[in-house]
Amino acid sequence: MKLSLVLPSLFPTLIDGAIAAAHEAAADIEHEIVVVSPYEIARPGVRWVPETAPRGSIAACNLGFSQATGDVIALIADDNRLTPGALRLSLAHLTAREASCPTLLLGFPRQTGHLTFVGSVYGRYYPYFFVARPSTLARVGGAFDEGFRKHFADPDLGMRVWAAGGRCEIVRDATIVDVDTRGAAGTAPDKALGSQAADFARFAQRWGPQFPGWGDRMDGINLDLSFDLLPLLGDGGTVELRDPAKIVDLRIIGALTMIALHHGVPVGMGRALQALEYLRWLSGIAPDVLNIVVSGGNRANLARP
């Protein structure tokens, strides 16, 4: 089984480390690294795909996918590093699960500092960086929708997988770790190519009608969730919230995750259970939406189901 690691890059000072880490992560796997960048890359085991015009990170990723020749595609970035064994574990997960679920998109818990978390929209897990068969991407209409410029293409892909009867699942014992890019020299030609608000509006227009009761606030729909607290929402293998009564719990856990991220204080299961008990009660004392200030300006947007 051949693996294509698609690596878009805007940071010439980070690319050598990213390539070395990718080779190390795939050391026991037949693989190629496909780098998409506006600057030339000539490294062993690397195929450079020139980005001739700044069309945005989403278009750059799609360009890399179109040039990948592997049986499986993995998307990574120059400012993240996979932990040792992550790719081997993801391929084993894919092989074990795809017979019963051929439309399968796999992702990794993401670590920033001390906190490990995953992404969700409308109560469904989506990968920030993924591993998938090219046939899965083709089955759901392609990888990233270039109608999005910089944001929400990855949640949109995840939602298309769920909508097609597939699943987005977490490779539990693997992690992708953020690299500190402060001081890194980057070309960053796509900064002005779109806004988060415009991309979210497109996303919400497409998916919002299928999820009544969620409202239209981005911070109530697109939630990062502490990986350690996922058992409060299900089995931990993914996030697939089907009970509307659990929307409040999801938003409370999202708020606790933001507190942990911004204040550098991990939230253990004991504290999370206390917060759930208190904030569930608090959310029920009025019929209208409450913006509960949990800590330091972080808000839990709560409403009756």
Side-chain angles (χ1 to χ4, degrees), residues 108-275:
F108 313 98
R110 181 173 173 181
Q111 182 179 335
T112 296
H114 71 281
L115 182 69
T116 303
F117 56 96
V118 300
S120 72
V121 282
Y122 293 113
R124 305 293 194 275
Y125 167 65
Y126 73 91
Y128 306 112
F129 302 95
F130 67 77
V131 174
R133 294 275 189 187
S135 57
T136 287
L137 301 179
R139 198 174 295 124
V140 299
F144 290 157
D145 179 351
E146 293 185 26
F148 302 99
R149 299 308 300 268
K150 291 181 64 178
H151 308 277
F152 285 95
D154 42 349
D156 177 72
L157 172 60
M159 292 298 284
R160 284 187 279 123
V161 168
W162 286 109
R167 285 176 62 83
C168 299
E169 295 185 350
I170 303 164
V171 184
R172 292 184 54 87
D173 296 320
T175 307
I176 192 160
V177 182
D178 288 346
V179 172
D180 188 350
T181 60
R182 287 175 296 184
T187 55
D190 68 338
K191 280 190 174 180
L193 288 179
S195 73
Q196 186 180 49
D199 283 342
F200 175 70
R202 177 184 177 86
F203 177 81
Q205 183 179 32
R206 174 175 292 174
W207 297 106
Q210 300 180 37
F211 295 91
W214 281 81
D216 58 4
R217 290 176 59 100
M218 180 166 59
D219 59 1
I221 292 168
N222 182 203
L223 297 168
D224 293 327
L225 305 171
S226 168
F227 180 69
D228 293 336
L229 302 184
L230 291 189
L232 297 173
L233 297 169
D235 64 9
T238 190
V239 179
E240 187 184 6
L241 197 68
R242 295 192 176 275
D243 181 0
K246 288 287 187 179
I247 295 175
V248 169
D249 288 2
L250 184 91
R251 288 175 172 167
I252 293 170
I253 291 169
L256 295 175
T257 302
M258 294 306 295
I259 292 167
L261 182 63
H262 290 299
H263 293 274
V265 178
V267 179
M269 187 64 75
R271 286 180 181 148
L273 289 170
Q274 290 176 338

Side-chain angles (χ1 to χ4, degrees), residues 45-68:
V46 174
R47 188 147 50 87
W48 175 52
V49 179
E51 185 184 22
T52 57
R55 295 173 50 223
S57 57
I58 292 168
C61 289
N62 279 347
L63 181 59
F65 300 148
S66 72
Q67 299 300 307

Side-chain angles (χ1 to χ4, degrees), residues 36-104:
V36 182
S37 66
Y39 53 87
E40 186 173 2
I41 294 295
R43 306 284 189 279
V46 174
R47 188 147 50 87
W48 175 52
V49 179
E51 185 184 22
T52 57
R55 295 173 50 223
S57 57
I58 292 168
C61 289
N62 279 347
L63 181 59
F65 300 148
S66 72
Q67 299 300 307
T69 63
D71 304 298
V72 177
I73 294 174
L75 174 64
I76 55 177
D78 57 5
D79 56 353
N80 301 98
R81 303 288 183 269
L82 286 164
T83 52
L87 291 171
R88 177 177 47 78
L89 287 168
S90 65
L91 293 181
H93 187 128
L94 184 70
T95 302
R97 291 281 294 126
E98 62 184 351
S100 58
C101 183
T103 305
L104 191 62

